[in-house]
Amino acid sequence: MCMDNRKRLNIPEKFAYVIRTGAGNLRTSEFKVSYAIAVGGVRAIALIGHNNCGMANLKAKEQKFIDGLVEVGWDRKAAEDHFNHFAPMFEIGNELDFVMSEVKRLRQRYPKVLVAPMMYKLEDNRLYLLKDDKSEG
Ligand SMILES: [Zn+2]
């Protein structure tokens, strides 16, 4: 699931493995996912994105990101390199499209695991199950 520091979901004990990651981007947590599936026996994943996500259009925050690191003592060049190295892996573009593409990727990688695309809406605090090609018809 992806959730930032603004929200916390109430989940019963021993109910689920929870991986918090920017934008529900599991490309950066692949090993944890494999562990939960292979060792933990997980057979269903709810991939939860949310609107108004900080990882959407990350490129637009480049200057703020770099300035913010310089402010806490980073060398400017190192901060620029840091951003350029990691931004492509964390950039999601648009929240909705990203969740759908990430779900598709996970289904290919873990074919026997059920992966459901979901979206959390900050304004109404509700969770929405997204429709995709697989669930239609
Ligand atoms: Zn987010």
Side-chain angles (χ1 to χ4, degrees):
M1 115 159 84
C2 156
M3 280 282 116
D4 58 26
N5 59 6
R6 287 171 288 191
K7 299 288 176 184
R8 190 177 71 88
L9 285 185
N10 286 317
I11 292 172
E13 276 181 43
K14 296 178 184 168
F15 177 73
Y17 282 82
V18 176
I19 300 174
R20 287 180 77 112
T21 168
N25 183 351
L26 291 176
R27 290 179 300 200
T28 58
S29 311
E30 194 92 323
F31 192 78
K32 289 187 219 170
V33 176
S34 293
Y35 183 92
I37 291 168
V39 181
V42 165
R43 290 296 174 264
I45 297 173
L47 189 71
I48 308 172
H50 67 94
N51 65 329
N52 195 9
C53 183
M55 291 296 137
N57 199 8
L58 192 55
K59 189 76 187 154
K61 291 150 200 140
E62 179 173 3
Q63 208 50 53
K64 195 174 181 190
F65 183 99
I66 292 165
D67 291 345
L69 285 179
V70 169
E71 207 177 296
V72 296
W74 278 56
D75 169 72
R76 182 162 293 276
K77 177 79 174 75
E80 283 168 5
D81 290 347
H82 188 57
F83 184 87
N84 291 329
H85 182 78
F86 287 104
M89 194 165 50
F90 286 89
E91 173 71 74
I92 63 159
N94 157 302
E95 293 93 340
L96 215 62
D97 293 345
F98 183 79
V99 167
M100 297 314 294
S101 72
E102 187 64 348
V103 158
K104 214 169 155 191
R105 189 184 69 80
L106 289 167
R107 284 173 178 163
Q108 277 166 6
R109 197 142 174 79
Y110 308 102
K112 293 183 181 173
V113 175
L114 181 73
V115 189
M118 299 184 87
M119 191 61 97
Y120 186 89
K121 208 168 160 191
L122 293 171
E123 292 85 354
D124 61 10
N125 289 314
R126 295 184 75 154
L127 210 48
Y128 294 85
L129 179 63
L130 302 177
K131 236 185 171 170
D132 61 286
D133 327 333
K134 233 185 160 180
S135 63
E136 257 169 316

